[in-house]
Amino acid sequence: MPQSHAGMAGESFHADVLLPLAWLWLLVWVGAALASAARDRHGRRGHVQGRSRRRRSRRRRKQSAHASRPVNAAPGQRAGPSPAAEIRPPGPPVAPPPSPAAVTRENIVALSSAQFEQLVADSFRRKGFEVEFMPEHSRQGIDIVLRDGDKLLRVQCRHDRDAQVDVDAAHELADLVQAQFGGKAILATSGRLSPAAHAFCRDHAIHALDIDRLLLFADPAAMPALSTPVPKPGEAPEHAGSQAAPAV
C-alpha cells in the first residue's frame, strides 16, 4: 500500500511539475530560435542595403570627378574645376540679325555688285532653280548658271544702277552665248533696257530682267539687309524707311 501511494505521488509530480516545465522550456527555445532567425534576416538585409548605399556613393563620386575633369584631360590627370562651374561675367547682348531691306528701286540701286548678284541668285533659288555661281577666273561674261530639270540658263548680271542699257549690251550677250555656250540666257540688270534692247532680247531668246521687272520678280526674303538709310525721291534722309549698302 505505501508503494502504491509513492508511485501515484511520483506520477502526480511528473504530470504537475515536470511536464509544464518541459513545455515552458520548449516555448523558450522556440522563441529564442525565432528571435535569432529574425536578427539574422535583419542583419543580412542591413548588410545588403549598406552595400547598395556604398555602391551608389562610389558611383556618384566617380560621376562628379568625371564631370569636373577638363574635356582634354587624360584619365589619370588630376581633376580641375569644370569650365561650366566657372563664374563668367555676362557678355555684351547679341544683336538680332538685320532684317531684309524692302524691295524698292532705291534699295536695289544702293546694293553693291556682289549683293545684286546674290539678290538675283536667291530670287531664282526660291523659285525652285538650282543656282551655281561661276568662278571669278572663268566667268567670261556669265555670272550665274541656273538649272531647272534638263533646262540650263546662263545669267549675266549688270549692276547699272538705274541707268539706261542700250542694245549693245544685249547684242554682246547674244554673241557670247552663241559662240561659247549655246542655249538661252538671262540679262539681269539694275538699269532700264531701252526699247531697242527689249526688242533685240525678244528676237534672240534672251530673257530681259531689268529694274522694272526685277521689282516684281525679286523675292522679298532674298533682299540683303542694308546699313544706312536710302531716302526715296522727295523724302528727307532722316525719314527714310530703307537702308543703303556700305561703301565697297
Side-chain angles (χ1 to χ4, degrees):
M1 192 68 179
Q3 293 178 356
S4 176
H5 285 295
M8 293 177 61
E11 292 178 359
S12 176
F13 177 79
H14 182 273
D16 295 339
V17 178
L18 295 182
L19 188 59
L21 288 176
W23 280 107
L24 180 60
W25 179 84
L26 180 61
L27 290 175
V28 171
W29 182 84
V30 170
L34 292 176
S36 177
R39 283 195 301 271
D40 292 342
R41 185 166 58 252
H42 180 72
R44 286 194 299 271
R45 182 181 303 169
H47 177 70
V48 172
Q49 291 177 350
R51 187 168 55 187
S52 299
R53 285 194 296 269
R54 290 192 296 271
R55 188 182 297 115
R56 289 195 296 268
S57 178
R58 287 195 300 268
R59 186 161 52 244
R60 284 195 296 268
R61 287 197 299 268
K62 290 181 180 179
Q63 292 175 351
S64 177
H66 179 73
S68 62
R69 190 174 63 216
V71 177
N72 57 352
Q77 183 179 348
R78 183 180 179 84
S82 173
E86 297 179 0
I87 300 177
R88 299 179 180 177
V94 179
S99 301
V103 180
T104 64
R105 185 185 302 269
E106 293 75 24
N107 285 344
I108 292 177
V109 169
L111 296 176
S112 66
S113 298
Q115 288 175 321
F116 179 72
E117 289 184 11
Q118 194 68 49
L119 171 63
V120 174
D122 288 346
S123 296
F124 276 105
R125 183 182 289 112
R126 290 178 177 273
K127 290 173 172 57
F129 287 85
E130 295 182 14
V131 177
E132 177 186 357
F133 283 94
M134 296 294 293
E136 290 288 344
H137 64 276
S138 61
R139 288 200 167 186
Q140 299 178 353
I142 301 299
D143 303 300
I144 302 170
V145 176
L146 304 176
R147 289 181 175 83
D148 183 17
D150 56 350
K151 297 179 181 179
L152 193 67
L153 295 172
R154 292 174 173 85
V155 184
Q156 183 183 84
C157 295
R158 294 174 54 95
H159 196 23
D160 296 298
R161 302 182 187 276
D162 205 24
Q164 180 166 304
V165 180
D166 58 20
V167 69
D168 292 339
H171 198 285
E172 292 175 2
L173 178 59
D175 292 343
L176 176 66
V177 172
Q178 292 176 2
Q180 299 188 24
F181 305 105
K184 297 183 178 180
I186 297 175
L187 177 59
T189 175
S190 58
R192 294 170 283 107
L193 289 180
S194 65
H198 271 295
F200 184 88
C201 289
R202 285 194 302 268
D203 296 339
H204 293 80
I206 297 176
H207 299 282
L209 191 62
D210 63 355
I211 184 66
D212 295 323
R213 295 183 179 181
L214 190 60
L215 290 172
L216 302 176
F217 174 80
D219 193 299
M223 186 69 185
L226 303 178
S227 58
T228 56
V230 176
K232 295 181 180 180
E235 183 181 23
E238 60 270 19
H239 300 298
S242 55
Q243 297 178 332
V248 294

